[in-house]
Amino acid sequence: MNNYELMVIFTPVLSEEDYKVAQKKFADLIKETGGTVTHENPWGLRSLAYPIQKKTTGMYLVLEYSAPSDLNEKLKIQLNRDENVLRHMITALDKYAVEYNGRKRHGVSADSKTVEA
């Protein structure tokens, strides 16, 4: 099982309910195909750096998950089929990135190191 991070930008015309359904759809897809969702972080509506399909804002979602590597191809197919998805990016995380994300989530300073006496 490898660790990954998925960032999805949904179209801004989604209602709050549709946005939640879309979040659940991709989290459930990961779970159904043998992966586990470690952390789900919906960012909500944000400005885009540049217009995509004549839209200047998008609804962001970041999922951190662990799964077998063949899951990513199935996930990409579903992301490309969904008309509400403007962009997506899957990033493989190494053990240091997973550790960093865990510390950041739990409020520990990212720069602090534990010193054993």
Side-chain angles (χ1 to χ4, degrees):
M1 297 278 264
N2 298 323
N3 294 307
Y4 299 98
E5 185 176 76
L6 168 67
M7 177 176 274
V8 184
I9 304 174
F10 294 102
T11 183
V13 297
L14 289 178
S15 68
E16 194 65 35
E17 182 179 308
D18 291 338
Y19 177 56
K20 290 184 189 292
V21 168
Q23 289 176 28
K24 186 171 174 15
K25 173 184 170 184
F26 291 111
D28 288 346
L29 179 66
I30 291 169
K31 292 174 189 171
E32 289 170 5
T33 52
T36 57
V37 176
T38 310
H39 185 67
E40 189 171 343
N41 188 6
W43 287 4
L45 189 66
R46 299 278 176 109
S47 297
L48 300 174
Y50 55 89
I52 301 173
Q53 297 176 4
K54 298 183 180 178
K55 293 177 176 57
T56 58
T57 58
M59 310 268 298
Y60 282 74
L61 169 67
V62 179
L63 285 175
E64 190 176 329
Y65 64 96
S66 56
S69 59
D70 64 335
L71 169 81
N72 289 337
E73 287 304 315
K74 296 173 188 172
L75 190 57
K76 283 180 187 177
I77 290 169
Q78 293 302 319
L79 286 162
N80 287 332
R81 284 184 181 167
D82 193 336
E83 61 191 26
N84 292 324
V85 174
L86 295 178
R87 290 279 193 279
H88 67 277
M89 181 174 67
I90 298 174
T91 307
L93 301 176
D94 62 0
K95 65 180 182 178
Y96 303 108
V98 172
E99 182 183 321
Y100 173 81
N101 286 345
R103 284 196 321 255
K104 198 165 103 175
R105 266 197 302 277
H106 292 67
V108 178
S109 173
D111 296 332
S112 69
K113 304 261 183 192
T114 56
V115 177
E116 295 182 22

